Amino acid sequence: MLAETFPEAELSGLDESETMLQAARAAHPGLRFEIGEITAWADGPAGTHDLVFSNSALQWADDHAVLLPKLLRRVAPGGVLAFQVPAGVDTPACAIPRTLAASALWREWFGDNRIRPWHSESLAVYHDVLAPHAAALDLWDTDYVQIVSGPEAILDWYRGSGLRVYLQALPDDASRTRFEQAYLAALRAAYPPRANGSVLFPFLRRFVIARGK
């Protein structure tokens, strides 16, 4: 979308996963994609970008209070740091895997900090972290209430996101299937169907736009 909106711009994508980069290069052969880690990239030259943009990735990065001023520092005066992160860490869909992982049945696979869960800070924290360094700042939350056919759709959603780190920690496909089934059973209790059989699945997203000085 950025390439379509700004056809004259020089764009570069960054990701830690070579698999993700290969998929991106195949889908967009005219764009440049590089392997790298966001916290290391944030220490690069200051004021070199008109836009630093992240969509649903910074939740995997540590210590936003340190990282975000560094990212804004890489923005040229008048440029923009814009990012979005999921914010519903305490909703049932996100909390259930943590509860399962801590249970006697599963904890042997999830101890010793093997799980790197995603996280986000409050709007107030993002304000306090960025306001001293920004010429202007916009922050907001949007709760996207998805109408899905059932808890199975929520399971499918999280297989590719928050549930992935738990499934990767398990030793084989059989244990991953059992974990998914336990997760699905808890989802059924947490997200009951409405009168027409549909399930409401709210998903909170947090948005921040900071303009460089």
Side-chain angles (χ1 to χ4, degrees), residues 40 53 57 69 145:
F53 171 79
V145 181

Side-chain angles (χ1 to χ4, degrees), residues 74-153:
R74 296 218 58 181
V75 172
V80 168
L81 166 66
F83 68 90
Q84 173 270 125
V85 287
V89 67
D90 292 322
T91 60
C94 296
I96 288 168
R98 298 197 301 271
T99 301
L100 288 174
S103 68
L105 184 62
W106 295 102
R107 69 169 64 107
E108 68 174 295
W109 303 110
F110 300 109
D112 301 323
N113 297 316
R114 295 181 200 175
I115 298 300
R116 183 190 181 190
W118 61 264
H119 69 284
S120 59
E121 304 293 348
S122 68
L123 290 177
V125 168
Y126 288 139
H127 171 275
D128 294 348
V129 164
L130 289 169
H133 311 283
L137 191 59
D138 290 309
L139 314 97
W140 72 94
D141 284 347
T142 299
D143 205 0
Y144 295 92
V145 181
Q146 302 176 83
I147 302 173
V148 298
S149 59
E152 292 81 4

